[in-house]
Amino acid sequence: MSFVLEGPVLEGAFVRLEPLEQRHAADLALAAEEDRGSYRFTWVPEAAEVEGYVDAQLARAAAGKLAPYAQVDPVSGRAVGATSFWDPRPWPDGTGLCAIEVGFTWLAASAQGTGVNTEAKYLLFRHAFESWEVARVDLKTDARNVRSRAAIERTGARFEGVLRNWSRSWVPGEDGRLRDSAIFSVIAEEWPRTREGLERRLARRRSGAGLNV
């Protein structure tokens, strides 16, 4: 049987990843407008664009291109950002998933540095490696985005290099231009060590000692 990309609910202490629906749109509109200062290199919809953004993500999901999530605060039940599995790459025989990318990720300013991003990556990686048994998880960002690159490296993903003129730029004023993309990955052989590192960071956050996770 061929692989069908569907992301289940993934539950943690700091974030619950819920398959994205239009019911999340109102919360996401508020989250996106808290403080847009950190979104310079990442396209995040403005409040008036959120419903269209959700529709576009759901259309990509229907086409089998991604599994979009709302990142939900488990205490308040409010959506504070979004993320996705996307670009599924099957094994040559088409019977399973070889690799997947984690992307389309953004968080409200108030959710940044709170453990949400670390735990979301942990939940997504764990599902990819332990349920789908992938060989590889990819991540990429604008090569100029020092903050995003540091956050990805803190997950334990390995920097592989920069692909020049790889995809469109989301920087204001750069419409029609291409960006260089910094590429990171975790492979199956590295997952046990990466998992241990993420679990240690999350344990420190739960104990109140963690910072910038």
Side-chain angles (χ1 to χ4, degrees):
M1 181 180 296
S2 62
F3 177 81
V4 177
L5 180 58
E6 293 179 345
V9 173
L10 300 174
E11 186 91 32
F14 303 111
V15 66
R16 182 171 63 251
L17 299 179
E18 299 179 357
L20 183 66
E21 299 178 5
Q22 273 294 351
R23 64 185 176 86
H24 297 114
D27 286 346
L28 292 176
L30 293 174
E33 296 297 338
E34 282 187 5
D35 179 357
R36 299 185 64 85
S38 65
Y39 299 152
R40 180 185 173 200
F41 295 103
T42 303
W43 185 77
V44 176
E46 296 182 357
E49 299 171 319
V50 167
E51 288 190 9
Y53 162 81
V54 174
D55 284 341
Q57 294 294 74
L58 295 179
R60 293 184 180 103
K65 296 180 179 179
L66 85 165
Y69 281 101
Q71 302 196 67
V72 176
D73 177 356
V75 176
S76 68
R78 183 173 66 90
V80 295
T83 192
S84 293
F85 285 121
W86 78 294
D87 191 21
R89 300 189 297 288
W91 291 103
D93 63 8
T95 58
L97 192 63
C98 175
I100 193 81
E101 183 167 337
V102 171
F104 285 98
T105 301
W106 60 272
L107 282 171
S110 61
Q112 296 174 20
T114 65
V116 169
N117 181 63
T118 297
E119 189 168 59
K121 295 298 191 295
Y122 170 74
L123 295 170
L124 293 166
F125 291 176
R126 187 178 67 181
H127 186 76
F129 286 114
E130 298 181 14
S131 295
W132 290 336
E133 298 182 336
V134 300
R136 171 187 173 96
V137 172
D138 304 332
L139 305 98
K140 67 175 181 283
T141 189
D142 191 307
R144 298 167 293 180
N145 193 341
V146 175
R147 181 174 182 175
S148 177
R149 290 176 65 160
I152 292 171
E153 288 177 343
R154 285 196 297 269
T155 70
R158 181 177 297 185
F159 174 61
E160 295 187 328
V162 173
L163 298 179
R164 297 177 297 167
N165 285 353
W166 180 249
S167 59
R168 66 174 292 183
S169 173
W170 297 105
V171 175
E174 293 188 357
D175 293 349
R177 292 178 57 183
L178 296 173
R179 77 177 196 189
D180 296 347
S181 291
I183 308 298
F184 299 80
S185 72
V186 180
I187 62 173
E189 293 83 355
E190 297 166 347
W191 169 236
R193 176 179 53 80
T194 302
R195 176 174 179 158
E196 289 177 3
L198 288 167
E199 288 176 346
R200 284 195 300 270
R201 293 182 61 207
L202 290 168
R204 290 197 299 271
R205 169 60 66 173
R206 286 192 294 270
S207 72
L211 295 174
N212 297 320
V213 301

